[in-house]
Amino acid sequence: MVICQSSICAGQPPHEEADSLNNDPEVTAEAVSQVTFYVQSLGVPARRDTEDPAVRRGEEIFSNVGCATCHRPVAESGRLEGVPSVSNQQFAPYTDLLLHDMGPALADGRPVFDASGREWRTPPLWGLGLRELIQGHNTLLHDGRARSIREAILWHGGEARPARERFRTKLSGDERDALVAFLRSL
């Protein structure tokens, strides 16, 4: 009996009846080290249109509405041994990288590690305004259900419900436009 006859088994430990493939890892430790260094030293996406009055107004609204509670503007890198140029640097990811209950509308009912099916890690917003250019689409949220920044905001529930409701009911159309202009500047 042969357990595996395709390249799908490559890199897996041999079974009782080995598949005769070379089971050495496909990626060398050196390649992993180089990719790790590359990712650790990538630059933060540059903000655009920072002098635009609507963008500046939107940044203030972002904080006042409560978005910055989870999408925190400032973080600081830790110390990276051997790479002082990226150690202890302030940067603007617009995330707290924490899990938050986003309510039943975004729940998928599938827990992952410590996250319940209603909890999601706050994604960084940096580069949000470049998403369509780089990825060729502008679908947002964990499953791509939101087709715009406004729609993504309106899907927020659970812990983010108060901020969503302020966006939805307390802001004028011009204020919502300014907030979206700010987010596109990231």
Side-chain angles (χ1 to χ4, degrees), residues 7 22 48 58 67 76 79 85 110 112 131 143:
S7 62
N22 178 354
R48 293 152 321 286
C67 302
E76 187 170 315
R79 184 171 178 270
S85 60
R110 296 186 295 173
V112 177
R131 186 178 184 94
D143 57 3

Side-chain angles (χ1 to χ4, degrees), residues 93-158:
Y94 291 89
T95 182
D96 61 8
L97 296 174
L98 299 176
L99 291 175
H100 295 279
D101 179 344
M102 296 301 292
L106 287 178
D108 66 5
R110 296 186 295 173
V112 177
F113 298 105
D114 290 338
S116 76
R118 291 172 51 124
E119 292 178 308
W120 299 99
R121 179 186 59 86
T122 308
L125 297 180
W126 59 13
L128 181 62
L130 297 171
R131 186 178 184 94
E132 191 166 358
L133 175 68
I134 293 170
Q135 296 182 345
H137 65 81
N138 200 29
T139 57
L140 302 167
L141 298 177
H142 67 284
D143 57 3
R145 72 176 71 183
R147 294 162 293 179
S148 69
I149 292 171
R150 288 175 196 263
E151 194 174 324
I153 293 168
L154 294 173
W155 274 107
H156 282 58

Side-chain angles (χ1 to χ4, degrees), residues 69-89:
T69 303
C70 299
H71 292 282
R72 293 187 182 161
V74 179
E76 187 170 315
S77 66
R79 184 171 178 270
L80 184 56
E81 189 68 39
V83 191
S85 60
V86 298
S87 295
N88 304 312
Q89 298 293 311

Side-chain angles (χ1 to χ4, degrees), residues 49-59 178:
D49 304 321
T50 57
E51 298 304 315
D52 181 323
V55 169
R56 295 174 91 165
R57 184 171 176 221
E59 185 170 13

